[in-house]
């Protein structure tokens, strides 16, 4: 259990750091980070703190959906935004667009690997993924319908608030799934003990903290 908790914590901290790298690349973000950035720009709150507060707000939506949070869910809310906020001052935005794209790709790769690490600990889904599975289990929405509806909404709201939408938004959507698909089996605790492929684990396809 201690090993799984350490794995969870490492994964969440790396996830937040990866989100910070993508933000400073300045070429676009995933829907939830677009939303957090938009709220940050309009409230003056640090984007990392907005990420934490958004995770808490999403967790409240679990109540009518009858979802139960795990250790990983609570740790997700506390750590991802905090790690993001702590990492941002250490970075800078490259002047050339090639450097920005390279920086964004590095951040997306880090987020994908970190997703495999923390999801593989199997200590509870992130608040956003729990929302998607809750909509599916409670009201029968297909997972893709719930994800598309929610993420399209937060993307539009975030963009209207001034969040960054661009080529990075497209790159993240294309890359995150394959990276998590490769990384999750490498860190999946269930697979390592039973030698069966993971099943039923909601994969993080949207940052931050899923």
């Amino acid at each position: 259990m201690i090993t799984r908790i350490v794995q969870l914590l490492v994964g969440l901290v790396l996830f937040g750091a990866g989100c910070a790298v993508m933000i400073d690349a300045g070429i676009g973000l995933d829907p939830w980070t677009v939303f957090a950035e938009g709220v940050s720009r309009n409230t003056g709150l640090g984007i990392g703190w907005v990420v934490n507060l958004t995770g808490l707000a999403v967790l409240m939506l679990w109540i009518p959906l009858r979802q139960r949070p795990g250790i990983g869910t609570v740790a997700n809310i506390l750590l991802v935004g905090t790690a993001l906020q702590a990492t941002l001052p250490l970075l800078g935005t490259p002047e050339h667009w090639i450097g920005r794209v390279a920086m964004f790709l590095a951040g997306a790769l880090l987020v994908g690997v970190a997703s495999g690490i923390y999801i593989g600990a199997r200590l509870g889904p992130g608040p956003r993924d729990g929302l998607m599975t809750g909509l599916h289990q409670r009201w029968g929405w297909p997972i893709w319908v719930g994800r598309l509806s929610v993420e399209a909404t937060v993307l539009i709201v975030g963009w209207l608030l001034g969040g960054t939408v661009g080529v990075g938004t497209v790159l993240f959507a294309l890359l995150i799934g394959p990276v998590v698909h490769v990384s999750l089996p490498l860190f999946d605790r269930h697979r390592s003990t039973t030698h069966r492929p993971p099943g039923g684990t909601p994969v993080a396809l949207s940052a931050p903290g899923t």
Side-chain angles (χ1 to χ4, degrees):
M1 184 64 174
I2 294 178
T3 302
R4 291 168 64 195
I5 291 176
V6 171
Q7 178 176 329
L8 170 72
L9 299 180
V10 169
L12 292 175
V13 169
L14 291 178
F15 194 109
C19 290
V21 173
M22 293 193 299
I23 290 169
D24 269 356
I27 64 169
L29 299 165
D30 68 277
W32 283 103
T33 312
V34 170
F35 175 79
E37 186 180 49
V39 172
S40 175
R41 289 183 175 181
N42 284 271
T43 62
L45 291 173
I47 187 171
W49 310 134
V50 175
V51 167
N52 287 349
L53 292 173
T54 301
L56 180 61
V58 172
L59 183 61
M60 295 299 100
L61 297 177
W62 285 30
I63 297 174
L65 298 176
R66 300 177 183 175
Q67 293 286 93
R68 293 183 178 180
I71 296 173
T73 310
V74 177
N76 192 305
I77 293 170
L78 295 174
L79 289 181
V80 171
T82 303
L84 189 163
Q85 192 69 34
T87 305
L88 278 176
L90 306 177
L91 305 173
T93 302
E95 294 185 5
H96 198 280
W97 69 270
I98 294 178
R100 293 186 179 191
V101 172
M103 184 176 185
F104 183 89
L105 292 176
L109 178 63
L110 181 56
V111 166
V113 173
S115 296
I117 294 173
Y118 94 79
I119 294 172
R122 291 184 174 265
L123 291 173
R128 295 157 187 82
D129 273 326
L131 175 62
M132 310 306 172
T133 56
L135 291 171
H136 171 68
Q137 294 171 3
R138 187 76 172 90
W139 292 329
W141 290 20
I143 294 292
W144 72 270
V145 171
R147 183 176 294 279
L148 180 61
S149 300
V150 172
E151 293 188 355
T153 300
V154 298
L155 177 64
I156 292 170
V157 172
W159 175 66
L160 292 174
L161 291 173
T164 305
V165 176
V167 65
T169 308
V170 178
L171 287 174
F172 187 88
L174 293 175
L175 295 175
I176 191 64
V179 174
V180 176
H181 178 75
V182 172
S183 66
L184 179 56
L186 299 177
F187 300 101
D188 185 40
R189 304 299 298 179
H190 181 72
R191 182 185 180 92
S192 66
T193 56
T194 66
H195 304 291
R196 290 184 296 175
T201 302
V203 175
L205 299 183
S206 57
T210 71

